[in-house]
Amino acid sequence: MTREEMVAASRAPVKRAPALLTARIVGRRDLTDDLMLLWLEVPESFSFRPGQYITIGRDGIERPYSIVSAPHELPRVELFIELVPRGKLTPRLWRLGPGDEVTMRPRAKGLFTFDPAYRNQLMVATVTGIAPYVSILRDYLHRGLTGHRFYVLQGASYRDEFGYDDELRELAGRRPDLLTYVPTVSRPQEERNAGWQGQTGRVNTIVEEYIERFGLSPDDTIVYACGHTGMIQDVKARLLPKGWRVKEEHFD
């Protein structure tokens, strides 16, 4: 680097990370030993689009989480979080409760948002991957939008891991013209799933079957895949060669 270049570089503006904000935990509900719903009260300056994520932290460690709530629910933000036993952040979060605080980035990010160009919206999720879909549906209802049909397939190992199955079943029953919800468990023979009478199998392995049942076509359908990388890669391998458009969001 020449002397002139060094001088120019020294005068260039320094990009600084945005100042962190503080969010207060106002609610927590444990679904299982490793799944919880968390409600935060965030500053009034925070905004987001349904499907985006918020980055929160504790002790200097940060991770992004898709937002479950819809924008009209601000200043409360709802999250669906899975414990990573050897992770750096979630064990810290598991020790917190109402009144405790976490840091947060001032802006939501992400492009995993509702695409209104397609009449049919096929949404595939594993466990906490349901979060952005709940946000999109709550917002769609709140704004009184019309003209779209949602099909949500959610996979989990156990029946107590779905998180929002009651809300989605209620909506599907009340608005069958808007939503079809199919939860599936991958370990139906285990005691924890005793009494389960719904769909079984990994969610990625039933996608093509339900596309046929629903009578969907790539021409007017967009596919969203959110959750574990293995599920997303398999859904893409099954659908992309057949002309389907797939949006993805990884939770690993």
Side-chain angles (χ1 to χ4, degrees), residues 215-227:
L216 301 179
S217 163
D219 296 334
D220 60 358
T221 304
I222 184 169
V223 181
Y224 305 79
C226 184

PDB file of all heavy atoms in Angstrom, residues 215-227:
ATOM      1  N   GLY A 215     -53.814 -30.854  -4.506  1.00  0.00           N
ATOM      2  CA  GLY A 215     -53.970 -30.459  -5.900  1.00  0.00           C
ATOM      3  C   GLY A 215     -53.185 -29.214  -6.260  1.00  0.00           C
ATOM      4  O   GLY A 215     -53.641 -28.384  -7.056  1.00  0.00           O
ATOM      5  N   LEU A 216     -51.986 -29.081  -5.701  1.00  0.00           N
ATOM      6  CA  LEU A 216     -51.182 -27.884  -5.919  1.00  0.00           C
ATOM      7  C   LEU A 216     -50.339 -27.989  -7.186  1.00  0.00           C
ATOM      8  O   LEU A 216     -49.967 -29.084  -7.614  1.00  0.00           O
ATOM      9  CB  LEU A 216     -50.274 -27.638  -4.711  1.00  0.00           C
ATOM     10  CG  LEU A 216     -50.988 -27.454  -3.367  1.00  0.00           C
ATOM     11  CD1 LEU A 216     -49.973 -27.250  -2.252  1.00  0.00           C
ATOM     12  CD2 LEU A 216     -51.966 -26.288  -3.431  1.00  0.00           C
ATOM     13  N   SER A 217     -50.022 -26.832  -7.730  1.00  0.00           N
ATOM     14  CA  SER A 217     -49.215 -26.742  -8.946  1.00  0.00           C
ATOM     15  C   SER A 217     -48.115 -25.706  -8.751  1.00  0.00           C
ATOM     16  O   SER A 217     -48.332 -24.687  -8.077  1.00  0.00           O
ATOM     17  CB  SER A 217     -50.098 -26.342 -10.130  1.00  0.00           C
ATOM     18  OG  SER A 217     -49.314 -25.878 -11.216  1.00  0.00           O
ATOM     19  N   PRO A 218     -46.939 -25.916  -9.350  1.00  0.00           N
ATOM     20  CA  PRO A 218     -45.861 -24.917  -9.245  1.00  0.00           C
ATOM     21  C   PRO A 218     -46.241 -23.562  -9.829  1.00  0.00           C
ATOM     22  O   PRO A 218     -45.641 -22.546  -9.479  1.00  0.00           O
ATOM     23  CB  PRO A 218     -44.712 -25.549 -10.037  1.00  0.00           C
ATOM     24  CG  PRO A 218     -45.017 -27.004 -10.080  1.00  0.00           C
ATOM     25  CD  PRO A 218     -46.506 -27.107 -10.101  1.00  0.00           C
ATOM     26  N   ASP A 219     -47.235 -23.543 -10.697  1.00  0.00           N
ATOM     27  CA  ASP A 219     -47.615 -22.296 -11.358  1.00  0.00           C
ATOM     28  C   ASP A 219     -48.162 -21.257 -10.392  1.00  0.00           C
ATOM     29  O   ASP A 219     -47.944 -20.052 -10.584  1.00  0.00           O
ATOM     30  CB  ASP A 219     -48.658 -22.566 -12.449  1.00  0.00           C
ATOM     31  CG  ASP A 219     -48.112 -23.436 -13.569  1.00  0.00           C
ATOM     32  OD1 ASP A 219     -46.880 -23.423 -13.769  1.00  0.00           O
ATOM     33  OD2 ASP A 219     -48.914 -24.122 -14.223  1.00  0.00           O
ATOM     34  N   ASP A 220     -48.882 -21.703  -9.357  1.00  0.00           N
ATOM     35  CA  ASP A 220     -49.507 -20.738  -8.449  1.00  0.00           C
ATOM     36  C   ASP A 220     -49.223 -21.056  -6.981  1.00  0.00           C
ATOM     37  O   ASP A 220     -49.972 -20.664  -6.094  1.00  0.00           O
ATOM     38  CB  ASP A 220     -51.018 -20.671  -8.685  1.00  0.00           C
ATOM     39  CG  ASP A 220     -51.718 -22.004  -8.452  1.00  0.00           C
ATOM     40  OD1 ASP A 220     -51.029 -22.997  -8.142  1.00  0.00           O
ATOM     41  OD2 ASP A 220     -52.958 -22.049  -8.578  1.00  0.00           O
ATOM     42  N   THR A 221     -48.115 -21.772  -6.732  1.00  0.00           N
ATOM     43  CA  THR A 221     -47.770 -22.177  -5.364  1.00  0.00           C
ATOM     44  C   THR A 221     -46.312 -21.854  -5.063  1.00  0.00           C
ATOM     45  O   THR A 221     -45.431 -22.108  -5.883  1.00  0.00           O
ATOM     46  CB  THR A 221     -47.984 -23.693  -5.165  1.00  0.00           C
ATOM     47  OG1 THR A 221     -49.328 -24.034  -5.499  1.00  0.00           O
ATOM     48  CG2 THR A 221     -47.692 -24.098  -3.723  1.00  0.00           C
ATOM     49  N   ILE A 222     -46.071 -21.304  -3.888  1.00  0.00           N
ATOM     50  CA  ILE A 222     -44.705 -21.141  -3.399  1.00  0.00           C
ATOM     51  C   ILE A 222     -44.537 -22.033  -2.180  1.00  0.00           C
ATOM     52  O   ILE A 222     -45.464 -22.191  -1.373  1.00  0.00           O
ATOM     53  CB  ILE A 222     -44.384 -19.674  -3.042  1.00  0.00           C
ATOM     54  CG1 ILE A 222     -42.914 -19.542  -2.622  1.00  0.00           C
ATOM     55  CG2 ILE A 222     -45.315 -19.135  -1.956  1.00  0.00           C
ATOM     56  CD1 ILE A 222     -42.438 -18.107  -2.502  1.00  0.00           C
ATOM     57  N   VAL A 223     -43.364 -22.641  -2.049  1.00  0.00           N
ATOM     58  CA  VAL A 223     -43.063 -23.535  -0.936  1.00  0.00           C
ATOM     59  C   VAL A 223     -42.059 -22.850  -0.011  1.00  0.00           C
ATOM     60  O   VAL A 223     -41.046 -22.316  -0.470  1.00  0.00           O
ATOM     61  CB  VAL A 223     -42.479 -24.873  -1.429  1.00  0.00           C
ATOM     62  CG1 VAL A 223     -42.187 -25.800  -0.247  1.00  0.00           C
ATOM     63  CG2 VAL A 223     -43.427 -25.537  -2.424  1.00  0.00           C
ATOM     64  N   TYR A 224     -42.355 -22.864   1.282  1.00  0.00           N
ATOM     65  CA  TYR A 224     -41.435 -22.363   2.296  1.00  0.00           C
ATOM     66  C   TYR A 224     -40.957 -23.569   3.110  1.00  0.00           C
ATOM     67  O   TYR A 224     -41.763 -24.442   3.455  1.00  0.00           O
ATOM     68  CB  TYR A 224     -42.121 -21.394   3.253  1.00  0.00           C
ATOM     69  CG  TYR A 224     -42.818 -20.214   2.625  1.00  0.00           C
ATOM     70  CD1 TYR A 224     -44.078 -20.354   2.048  1.00  0.00           C
ATOM     71  CD2 TYR A 224     -42.242 -18.943   2.646  1.00  0.00           C
ATOM     72  CE1 TYR A 224     -44.746 -19.266   1.500  1.00  0.00           C
ATOM     73  CE2 TYR A 224     -42.903 -17.848   2.100  1.00  0.00           C
ATOM     74  CZ  TYR A 224     -44.153 -18.019   1.529  1.00  0.00           C
ATOM     75  OH  TYR A 224     -44.815 -16.939   0.990  1.00  0.00           O
ATOM     76  N   ALA A 225     -39.679 -23.608   3.442  1.00  0.00           N
ATOM     77  CA  ALA A 225     -39.139 -24.681   4.281  1.00  0.00           C
ATOM     78  C   ALA A 225     -38.313 -24.044   5.393  1.00  0.00           C
ATOM     79  O   ALA A 225     -37.346 -23.329   5.122  1.00  0.00           O
ATOM     80  CB  ALA A 225     -38.283 -25.640   3.464  1.00  0.00           C
ATOM     81  N   CYS A 226     -38.703 -24.303   6.642  1.00  0.00           N
ATOM     82  CA  CYS A 226     -38.044 -23.657   7.775  1.00  0.00           C
ATOM     83  C   CYS A 226     -37.794 -24.675   8.877  1.00  0.00           C
ATOM     84  O   CYS A 226     -38.710 -25.388   9.303  1.00  0.00           O
ATOM     85  CB  CYS A 226     -38.918 -22.518   8.300  1.00  0.00           C
ATOM     86  SG  CYS A 226     -38.155 -21.562   9.629  1.00  0.00           S
ATOM     87  N   GLY A 227     -36.552 -24.745   9.338  1.00  0.00           N
ATOM     88  CA  GLY A 227     -36.222 -25.676  10.407  1.00  0.00           C
ATOM     89  C   GLY A 227     -34.858 -26.295  10.205  1.00  0.00           C
ATOM     90  O   GLY A 227     -33.910 -25.631   9.793  1.00  0.00           O
TER      91      GLY A 227
END
